[in-house]
Amino acid sequence: MESISRRKLLRNGSQAIAGGVCISSVLPATASAKIAAPPVVGVDYYEKLGVRPFINAAGTYTILSASTLPDEVQAAVALAAQKPVHLMELHKAAGEYLAKRLRCEAALVTSGAAAGIKLATAACITRGNQSAIANIPADMHGLKNEIIVQKAHRYDYDHSFRDCGARLVDVETLEEYERAFTDRTVMTQFFNAAEGGRISREDWVRVAHKHGVPCFNDAAADVPPISNLWNYTGMGFDLVAFSGGKGLRGPQCTGLLLGKKDLIDAAALNNSPYSDTVGRGMKVAKEEIIGLVAAVDWFLKQDDAAMEAEFRKRTGTIAERVQSVPTVQARVFIPEVANHVPHLLITYDMNRVKLSAHDVMQKMREGNPRIELNPATGGGPASAGLPGGNNVIIVGVWMLQPGEDQIVARRLQEVLAEAAK
């Protein structure tokens, strides 16, 4: 019998399979009842492996396993896990559904926002050229590969561009940006949450389009607000990436790449499950694709004002408790772009509360229950404009589960009060 190659399977997988037999139709009802399996009780593998979960008073950080799935998303994932589907059909159907819901030409589910960066780059470089898809980054002969970026927008994800054979060209002013375009310019890149940069989103798009070059926007952590899911494509960005496992509350290993249909189609050709592509290792499982689609449906049913009110309520619960400790003050802070939700900033006089914020974070982490505070606490690696300092504790409340704000408030008050004795 002729073996079926993976490439042939990908090409022909959408054809229907006929002639299947329904086993239940040939078994008597009594036999079906006798072989019914008892309900399966899940094993707590965190406990079995000795990994200790925590209360997330930090936020949607990758190293802290990002967000938690809402109940309906968990249910959709569990149901999707029970049946096989053809992955290419699922990718196509999910992309079409998401594009309609998110008001853009096309969409692709990726294995995170960083994967979206790489696929966006590969799409702009290869544009569907099968030879280029197979040969980048080793052979860039005849391919455009320069990406213009504001110097202030350079960050820890540059590898995602360089993995495709791209070279980054830094600019700082609008005049430099205008002069940076050459016959090798393939894309311009904008980091949506960058704190610096002199060139606005509108000017960035306008100048690139004047030169006939597509614009990419990395907006990984930039929902809420809900409307950002279509604001940037509506603004003219040709490709926009979002994380699926942050504010959207989908599976952690998912992302959204939204934008122009020709570029999304080109990105898909560089993606798994196609072989011999830069994206082959960035596989997204059927459960994750369905989980992200369900998360988008869940997220679009939320309300920005209601979410903010709930988060402010949580900060109020914690603030009231910790401010009973001498010199402790608390205020709400909302980052301007990324993680644009209420955070609680707690400060105190270290002459009275004789413990650094970093040590407070350690005591919270080592306590029972274990609690993780925002990593910018104590002057740690600040993100999205969150201030830091030796006496600054930052509490991210938006990933707390019901009742956990009370636990965080109690534990913080205990740690600070003990240090103030």
Side-chain angles (χ1 to χ4, degrees):
M1 181 180 293
E2 179 186 2
S3 63
I4 301 176
S5 70
R6 179 182 297 161
R7 191 174 301 277
K8 186 178 293 184
L9 178 62
L10 291 173
R11 184 171 64 247
N12 300 330
S14 60
Q15 297 175 353
I17 299 174
V21 177
C22 179
I23 295 176
S24 62
S25 66
V26 298
L27 286 175
T30 53
S32 299
K34 287 180 181 178
I35 64 173
V40 175
V41 178
V43 174
D44 186 346
Y45 274 96
Y46 289 148
E47 182 178 359
K48 189 170 185 175
L49 296 173
V51 176
R52 191 176 170 210
F54 54 80
I55 291 174
N56 185 355
T60 59
Y61 294 91
T62 297
I63 198 168
L64 300 178
S65 61
S67 64
T68 51
L69 305 182
D71 290 345
E72 48 263 62
V73 178
Q74 293 186 43
V77 169
L79 192 60
Q82 297 177 18
K83 300 175 183 178
V85 294
H86 193 283
L87 206 55
M88 298 305 294
E89 294 176 358
L90 181 58
H91 261 300
K92 182 176 184 295
E96 291 173 350
Y97 180 85
L98 290 168
K100 290 177 182 177
R101 297 234 64 191
L102 301 179
R103 311 179 192 181
C104 58
E105 288 185 18
L108 177 66
V109 177
T110 67
S111 60
I117 298 172
K118 185 182 290 189
L119 292 174
T121 306
C124 292
I125 291 174
T126 63
R127 293 293 187 121
N129 182 319
Q130 290 294 331
S131 175
I133 290 170
N135 292 316
I136 63 169
D139 182 3
M140 303 298 294
H141 180 71
L143 299 175
K144 299 179 180 181
N145 72 330
E146 291 182 354
I147 297 175
I148 304 174
V149 58
Q150 294 189 65
K151 189 174 182 180
H153 289 213
R154 294 293 291 271
Y155 57 177
D156 294 339
Y157 298 91
D158 286 355
H159 252 301
S160 294
F161 303 102
R162 298 201 306 267
D163 286 350
C164 298
R167 185 176 77 86
L168 295 167
V169 178
D170 292 336
V171 299
E172 294 189 81
T173 68
L174 189 57
E175 292 74 21
E176 289 176 355
Y177 184 37
E178 288 271 15
R179 294 196 302 268
F181 289 85
T182 71
D183 59 359
R184 294 191 61 80
T185 304
V186 73
M187 186 175 88
T188 70
Q189 187 260 339
F190 194 95
F191 177 33
N192 206 56
E195 296 176 26
R198 304 185 199 175
I199 308 170
S200 69
R201 295 177 184 87
E202 291 79 8
D203 282 340
W204 194 257
V205 171
R206 176 182 59 79
V207 173
H209 286 178
K210 184 175 74 172
H211 291 274
V213 174
C215 291
F216 168 73
N217 188 340
D218 176 4
D222 298 350
V223 290
I226 297 166
S227 60
N228 276 356
L229 287 170
W230 47 84
N231 282 345
Y232 303 124
T233 50
M235 192 180 293
F237 282 98
D238 303 277
L239 290 163
V240 182
F242 291 96
S243 171
K246 296 187 187 295
L248 280 172
R249 302 279 300 277
Q252 182 177 10
C253 291
T254 59
L256 281 173
L257 186 61
L258 311 176
K260 301 295 185 183
K261 187 177 188 309
D262 62 326
L263 292 173
I264 295 295
D265 288 346
L269 292 175
N270 286 275
N271 196 24
S272 179
Y274 288 109
S275 300
D276 204 13
T277 66
V278 294
R280 181 61 180 89
M282 302 185 301
K283 186 181 298 182
V284 192
K286 64 183 186 298
E287 297 86 358
E288 294 169 324
I289 296 173
I290 292 300
L292 184 56
V293 173
V296 168
D297 279 347
W298 173 86
F299 191 64
L300 294 181
K301 291 186 291 186
Q302 306 309 302
D303 176 79
D304 286 324
M307 285 192 289
E308 181 171 335
E310 172 59 28
F311 301 151
R312 285 185 178 275
K313 180 182 176 183
R314 297 175 191 176
T315 62
T317 297
I318 299 168
E320 182 179 7
R321 186 82 180 243
V322 300
Q323 287 181 138
S324 65
V325 179
T327 77
V328 173
Q329 297 181 334
R331 67 179 178 90
V332 172
F333 177 82
I334 302 179
E336 185 176 347
V337 183
N339 304 308
H340 183 70
V341 293
H343 292 65
L344 188 66
L345 268 63
I346 301 169
T347 59
Y348 53 91
D349 183 351
M350 292 183 65
N351 292 317
R352 294 293 304 277
V353 180
K354 300 182 183 299
L355 197 66
S356 71
H358 182 267
D359 288 337
V360 171
M361 183 165 62
Q362 280 298 116
K363 286 185 175 293
M364 297 289 284
R365 180 178 293 151
E366 294 165 0
N368 188 19
R370 183 181 184 185
I371 297 170
E372 284 287 344
L373 298 175
N374 189 282
T377 292
S383 63
L386 292 172
N390 287 338
N391 68 331
V392 179
I393 298 167
I394 302 176
V395 184
V397 299
W398 59 321
M399 290 300 128
L400 295 176
Q401 300 300 298
E404 289 182 342
D405 54 341
Q406 300 278 356
I407 299 172
V408 173
R410 175 179 56 79
R411 286 290 297 128
L412 271 174
Q413 192 269 341
E414 289 171 353
V415 171
L416 293 170
E418 179 65 26
K421 286 184 180 178

